[in-house]
Amino acid sequence: MLLTGPNTQHTSLAVYILMRAAVLASRCGIKSKRFGSICKPLTWKHGDLFLMCLSSSQILSAYILKQESLPSSYKSFLNKQGGKDLSILQGVKDIASAQPFTNLRAIEKYYKSVGVDIKLDPNMKVPCSIIHGNESCVKHGITFFLQAYKRALPVYVPVYLIPALIVHRQDLLKKQYSILGKGLLGTARSSLFLATYCSSAWAWTCLLFRTFETCNIPLVAIATFPTGLALAIEKKSRRIEISLYCLARAIESFFTCMTDAGYIRPPKSLRRADVVVFSVSTAIIMHCYAQEREVFRSKYLNVLDWVFGVPPPPLPPPCETT
């Protein structure tokens, strides 16, 4: 990591590798006689959904309230899939932070550019008119979902079809309909997840804002928590991967917010914490690879074996017939 430059931080990568190492360490703890009882809660069937809900609360709150705490590439992804102009997000941030509005005219100008003539009340208590203009909350939920699904499709087409063409290239001529069908089904399913995730985020916030007739930071965090339940749409094998990825982004955002608020002071003697975290995490992963290979999923183990040049295990000898 230091070869990329002494001042180039790789916090996102380090935190994500830390999450992967934590998963492997927890699997080792589950099968251990000494730590099995302690790690038993980690075997919860719906733990991936809980992690996603927890991550969503931080990520989506940061998306509305403090985007600078998110990695730039991830922030761009959220701004595109979130489907809202930055002026709208600033308006929601102002009312949630109990600050005077700074850009109501910019919001009105934006809506006018898309054909909606609206006059916003500077004394409003809930920001529903900021979020969806003259539409009702229910109508906005439906129209936003349809738009979100169209935005999600281009994200997942290469995720499913390109690996299918590479991994199954030898069987593509024989089983082209089966392979392409699975790819299209996976694309449709994952796009449904992302569209539901984004649309439910705004639906939950509108519901809680109108229920309590107010908008504040704790309510934003609570409203974005159940958004993670949309992950149930995905295949079980993909849920833990998505939840771990989002958890890494959430942890990075959380500590950035805490540091900016002055609750956490980074140690002056440790300039490259990302290198330390990455090194420790890699050590855990390599220990598991050498000593606890059964805690890896087969596809990851095959990739590591290929990277390190480990030959595949020999085939069992054929049974002799008598």
Side-chain angles (χ1 to χ4, degrees), residues 103-116:
N103 68 335
L104 285 186
R105 288 190 177 182
I107 300 172
E108 293 172 354
K109 184 177 180 181
Y110 163 75
Y111 276 116
K112 191 173 183 178
S113 68
V114 295
V116 178

Side-chain angles (χ1 to χ4, degrees), residues 37-98:
S37 58
I38 300 176
C39 296
K40 190 175 180 180
L42 299 176
T43 62
W44 183 30
K45 181 180 179 181
H46 301 296
D48 47 8
L49 295 180
F50 176 75
L51 287 179
M52 188 63 178
C53 290
L54 200 63
S55 304
S56 298
S57 181
Q58 172 61 36
I59 290 172
L60 297 178
S61 296
Y63 162 67
I64 296 173
L65 303 171
K66 194 174 178 61
Q67 286 204 8
E68 57 270 22
S69 69
L70 298 167
S72 58
S73 58
Y74 196 59
K75 180 171 63 175
S76 299
F77 173 80
L78 288 176
N79 282 327
K80 182 175 182 179
Q81 299 301 322
K84 297 299 178 184
D85 189 74
L86 292 178
S87 62
I88 293 177
L89 297 178
Q90 181 62 44
V92 178
K93 178 181 177 180
D94 288 342
I95 191 172
S97 305

